[in-house]
Amino acid sequence: MKYNLVISGEIGGWWNGCSADYVRYVLDCNKDKDVHVGFCSLGGYVKDGLELHQAFRDHGRVYAHAFGMNASISTIAMLGAKSIDIVKGSFFLIHNVSVTLSKWAQTNKEQMDEYIAELQKTRADLKTFDEVLASMYSEKNGKPIADNLAQMRRGNWLSAQQALDFGLVDAIRDDAETETEARNYIQTFINSYNFKDSGIPPLPTDDDSRLSSIVDDSGNPTQSFLQKTWQGFQSLFRNQHADNPSTNNNMKITVFNSLMALLAFKDGFEPDGQGNISLSQAQMKQVDDRLADLERKDRENADAIKASAAAVVKLKDKVTALEADIAAKDQQIANLKQGPGASSGRKPDDGNDGGDIANARDLYNLIKDID
């Protein structure tokens, strides 16, 4: 499937070009043409999702293609398309609208009453949002609003077949490559972060050996995956995109310079007259050297941590052995004190003046801190 636009990541976020303005720009570049939009998004801002929904309806020839995992306002945006299909093996989720609450303050009872009133207003707003969105789902699947509200309250992930049965999508598309790559990668991504606060539940990770090409045993990206990612960036910014007039070069430049900043390159890279970025061999070598240096430091840190952990284990074993040895010597001394002649009043043959005899633990405590 060749998409005119792929909406991935946060809807309304600046990072991956999913703003409503950018989508409208792509649609304007394809007036009176069929536009195929790929969706793989966990949602975002309600405002932007509703704008996408209306933009698709206004264009009139948009076809939505869901793959991987789609949730929240992403599913509302799709409703503006003429049809929605979903790749076999993908997931779909609709849920109640949620907001972030954060309150840390010392308050009196009047201030508490004000905050309670504010919460009650927010709750009423959320109820309105839920009912309006449920009515939009009802227009799609023909089910009562109450049925859609019930599914939104459950907020569980639906398989492609369940989404079709519930009437949220029109067809299941059999695309083995998209099913394998998108599902496994997005599933790994969502389980690496906590989306509970936004109302999105995690999926159980499949015991699939194919995930080893993306993450290692510790859940970190593998070296091969990082290399492929960098190669993808190279291809993105070297390609002139002559056959795709809807490419937003300003967005590419912003993303690229953000990546360079993460790699500690302070100066931005300027585009040429056509809005493209080309790196010289020297600049490419700088980037490769920086990546190699980061990988080296990661390996050194990992080795240092392993060495420290091994040293701690050895010290614990040594302490355990010393404590066992001290306990044995203390028992030997106690046995000697209880032996024949222990209470006869005789002074020790070693010249002790008759005071208490120091035991092994006392001696150990005297010398244990000496380097």
Side-chain angles (χ1 to χ4, degrees), residues 310-321:
V312 169
V313 171
K314 289 183 179 179
L315 287 174
K316 287 183 177 180
D317 292 341
K318 187 174 181 180
V319 169
T320 300

Side-chain angles (χ1 to χ4, degrees), residues 276-312:
N276 297 296
I277 293 177
S278 297
L279 299 183
S280 65
Q281 291 294 328
Q283 290 171 327
M284 289 294 298
K285 185 176 186 304
Q286 280 185 287
V287 174
D288 289 336
D289 290 344
R290 177 59 178 162
L291 289 172
D293 184 59
L294 291 174
E295 291 177 357
R296 178 184 59 78
K297 289 181 179 179
D298 286 343
R299 288 194 299 268
E300 290 176 353
N301 290 338
D303 292 340
I305 292 173
K306 289 180 181 179
S308 298
V312 169

Side-chain angles (χ1 to χ4, degrees), residues 25-332:
Y25 167 74
V26 174
L27 296 178
D28 287 342
C29 291
N30 292 274
K31 289 182 178 179
D32 301 321
K33 297 179 182 178
D34 290 344
V35 176
H36 296 276
V37 181
F39 274 89
C40 187
S41 171
L42 296 177
Y45 297 95
V46 172
K47 170 185 173 294
D48 291 83
L50 292 173
E51 285 190 71
L52 297 190
H53 172 91
Q54 191 60 45
F56 294 155
R57 290 179 65 91
D58 291 343
H59 184 279
R61 296 177 61 176
V62 175
Y63 299 87
H65 309 280
F67 62 89
M69 299 172 69
N70 282 278
S72 194
I73 205 64
S74 170
T75 64
I76 290 292
M78 291 184 208
L79 297 180
K82 292 192 68 174
S83 67
I84 306 171
D85 63 38
I86 184 171
V87 172
K88 181 181 178 182
S90 298
F91 298 91
F92 219 76
L93 183 148
I94 63 175
H95 67 105
N96 287 341
V97 178
S98 62
V99 296
T100 299
L101 293 179
S102 178
K103 182 74 171 180
W104 180 260
Q106 183 173 343
T107 61
N108 57 38
K109 61 181 182 300
E110 287 78 17
Q111 291 169 327
M112 287 184 182
D113 290 339
E114 292 175 359
Y115 186 53
I116 291 172
E118 180 183 342
L119 291 177
Q120 289 174 336
K121 179 183 179 301
T122 300
R123 188 186 187 286
D125 290 340
L126 292 177
K127 182 175 183 292
T128 300
F129 281 126
D130 290 339
E131 291 173 347
V132 170
L133 298 185
S135 69
M136 297 174 71
Y137 290 128
S138 293
E139 291 180 6
K140 176 66 178 177
N141 59 19
K143 296 181 181 296
I145 292 177
D147 290 357
N148 285 283
L149 283 172
Q151 179 58 44
M152 291 166 66
R153 281 194 299 271
R154 284 192 291 271
N156 61 291
W157 286 100
L158 302 175
S159 66
Q161 186 61 53
Q162 289 171 328
L164 178 64
D165 294 341
F166 198 67
L168 296 173
V169 300
D170 301 299
I172 295 177
R173 180 161 58 96
D174 193 355
D175 188 332
E177 182 178 357
T178 303
E179 175 188 350
T180 300
E181 298 298 330
R183 177 186 174 186
N184 287 340
Y185 178 75
I186 300 301
Q187 184 172 332
T188 303
F189 169 78
I190 193 174
N191 286 333
S192 299
Y193 298 90
N194 182 14
F195 290 94
K196 182 178 179 181
D197 293 338
S198 61
I200 299 177
L203 277 178
T205 302
D206 293 338
D207 183 13
D208 193 337
S209 60
R210 291 173 296 183
L211 291 177
S212 62
S213 64
I214 298 175
V215 296
D216 57 23
D217 293 337
S218 301
N220 299 313
T222 62
Q223 184 175 357
S224 62
F225 178 72
L226 292 173
Q227 291 173 344
K228 290 179 181 178
T229 301
W230 174 240
Q231 291 170 359
F233 272 105
Q234 290 176 317
S235 175
L236 173 64
F237 292 100
R238 286 173 173 171
N239 191 348
Q240 299 300 310
H241 294 283
D243 60 343
N244 189 357
S246 65
T247 300
N248 189 327
N249 287 315
N250 290 332
M251 180 58 65
K252 292 191 303 179
I253 293 163
T254 299
V255 174
F256 183 81
N257 282 330
S258 298
L259 175 65
M260 293 298 101
L262 290 175
L263 295 176
F265 285 85
K266 297 181 180 179
D267 297 329
F269 292 82
E270 295 297 327
D272 59 22
Q274 296 180 343
N276 297 296
I277 293 177
S278 297
L279 299 183
S280 65
Q281 291 294 328
Q283 290 171 327
M284 289 294 298
K285 185 176 186 304
Q286 280 185 287
V287 174
D288 289 336
D289 290 344
R290 177 59 178 162
L291 289 172
D293 184 59
L294 291 174
E295 291 177 357
R296 178 184 59 78
K297 289 181 179 179
D298 286 343
R299 288 194 299 268
E300 290 176 353
N301 290 338
D303 292 340
I305 292 173
K306 289 180 181 179
S308 298
V312 169
V313 171
K314 289 183 179 179
L315 287 174
K316 287 183 177 180
D317 292 341
K318 187 174 181 180
V319 169
T320 300
L322 287 173
E323 289 177 345
D325 186 57
I326 289 170
K329 286 182 170 56
D330 285 345
Q331 185 61 46
Q332 290 177 359

